[in-house]
Amino acid sequence: MSTHTQLAPPAPEQSKKSRNSWRRLLADRWAVAGAGVVAFFLLVAVAAPLLCALAGQDPYTYDLDALTEAGVPIGFGGGISTEHWFGVEPVTGRDLFAIVAHGARTSLLVGVGATVVSVFLGVLIGLTAGFYGGWYDRAVSRVIDVLLGFPWLIFVIALGAIVPTGLPKPLLLVAVLAVFGWTSIARIVRSQTLVLKRRTFVVASTAVGAGPWHLLTRQLLPNLTATIIVYATIQIPSMIGAEAALSFLGVGVPPPTPAWGRSIGDAVSWVQTDPMFLVFPGAALFLVTLAFNLLGDGLRDALDPRTRGLNR
């Protein structure tokens, strides 16, 4: 006889819970607004070349005629005009709208890519550590403690000085941020796995002969899905902010590749003469970070109604 205790509730009950979660999410106006802003920036990132073509600009062409001899943009708001919708960059005259639009690609690519890799590593390591325990669990816990206390920013700055120039910086940033970003989700998944593996449905499945693969993929992992989704949504703005901070410090994506963080860093020295140079990339970074956080909070409340209102 080969029966396994089923983790998931019957299909009608599961479908009802899914519908209730969707209703709770759609009833949260802030979460819906956050999802709309995220979708908008994703669309901008994907369609950046088309949008810039419609504006007749690109983020790499210099327009020195739009600058004074001192390198300051000519005209209102840093050179805002029908030709340059957001004005131009000081010194170079590059179109600021094109820089912000293409910068969305860099920020979202690094942020989403680093989140996907770090969540995959964290779930894999945390799930197996909590399930198998023993020396493996102890070793994982010690590695997590070390990485959480490691000065990763200093390490990245030093790494940026020695890596070959031919290595794509976005991929390097994704790898570095993922290596230092998996620890938090691993701790969460490990702690929940330790609780779940003592639950009746896991003990019963083990008693009737279920193997480790079945227990991990069919019993434990589905129970962690909501936690993983919420954590990933909240982790993305952290990764975007980390990429912006590294670009601000000059160790992120190298110029002339557009990046919001580097634009903000360059704009600091021009804030007195051209404040709009700081406003547009800064507003874009602020909005996308806020939107992901609002969406993450909404998903948390929708998937686990017990948390509704506790952090608001």
Side-chain angles (χ1 to χ4, degrees):
M1 184 172 61
S2 60
T3 40
H4 295 302
T5 301
Q6 297 297 316
L7 166 67
E13 182 181 345
Q14 183 67 41
S15 176
K16 180 180 178 181
K17 292 176 69 174
S18 298
R19 288 195 301 269
N20 289 338
S21 296
W22 272 108
R23 280 197 291 267
R24 286 192 293 268
L25 181 62
L26 294 176
D28 189 335
R29 292 176 295 177
W30 288 108
V32 172
V37 174
V38 168
F40 170 77
F41 276 102
L42 289 174
L43 180 62
V44 169
V46 171
L50 178 60
L51 293 173
C52 294
L54 292 175
Q57 301 293 339
D58 69 79
Y60 305 106
T61 301
Y62 287 19
D63 184 7
L64 300 181
D65 293 334
L67 305 173
T68 65
E69 292 183 358
V72 179
I74 300 173
F76 168 77
I80 295 176
S81 64
T82 55
E83 184 179 1
H84 300 290
W85 297 349
F86 286 1
V88 297
E89 183 182 60
V91 180
T92 65
R94 296 190 300 165
D95 185 74
L96 190 54
F97 172 78
I99 291 175
V100 172
H102 281 265
R105 303 185 115 191
T106 302
S107 294
L108 291 175
L109 171 65
V110 173
V112 175
T115 298
V116 170
V117 177
S118 64
V119 168
F120 174 79
L121 290 175
V123 171
L124 177 64
I125 296 172
L127 183 63
T128 53
F131 179 76
Y132 289 109
W135 67 267
Y136 175 59
D137 183 32
R138 292 192 294 272
V140 167
S141 298
R142 298 295 79 76
V143 170
I144 290 176
D145 291 340
V146 170
L147 288 178
L148 286 174
F150 194 83
W152 68 272
L153 185 58
I154 297 176
F155 173 80
V156 175
I157 293 174
L159 186 64
I162 63 175
V163 295
T165 55
L167 184 67
K169 275 297 184 66
L171 293 181
L172 177 63
L173 287 176
V174 168
V176 171
L177 292 175
V179 166
F180 289 99
W182 64 267
T183 51
S184 297
I185 182 64
R187 270 192 165 179
I188 295 171
V189 170
R190 173 186 172 274
S191 63
Q192 293 201 10
T193 301
L194 289 172
V195 175
L196 288 173
K197 75 176 185 178
R198 294 180 174 86
R199 297 280 295 273
T200 304
F201 61 86
V202 177
V203 175
S205 293
T206 305
V208 297
W213 178 255
H214 176 86
L215 294 174
L216 288 170
T217 60
R218 301 293 299 276
Q219 304 283 7
L220 297 174
L221 190 58
N223 262 322
L224 298 168
T225 302
T227 299
I228 294 169
I229 292 174
V230 172
Y231 181 87
T233 308
I234 296 177
Q235 179 79 341
I236 290 175
S238 299
M239 293 297 186
I240 292 175
E243 181 277 326
L246 293 173
S247 296
F248 180 89
L249 295 172
V251 294
V253 180
T257 304
W260 289 343
R262 193 178 61 253
S263 294
I264 293 172
D266 294 341
V268 170
S269 59
W270 292 89
V271 69
Q272 298 295 329
T273 55
D274 184 13
M276 302 309 291
F277 185 28
L278 177 63
V279 167
F280 287 114
L285 179 61
F286 171 78
L287 286 175
V288 76
T289 302
L290 177 63
F292 271 113
N293 278 303
L294 290 174
L295 178 58
D297 287 345
L299 284 171
R300 181 201 61 213
D301 291 342
L303 295 173
D304 188 2
R306 292 172 300 178
T307 65
R308 179 177 294 275
L310 293 180
N311 297 318
R312 295 189 178 183

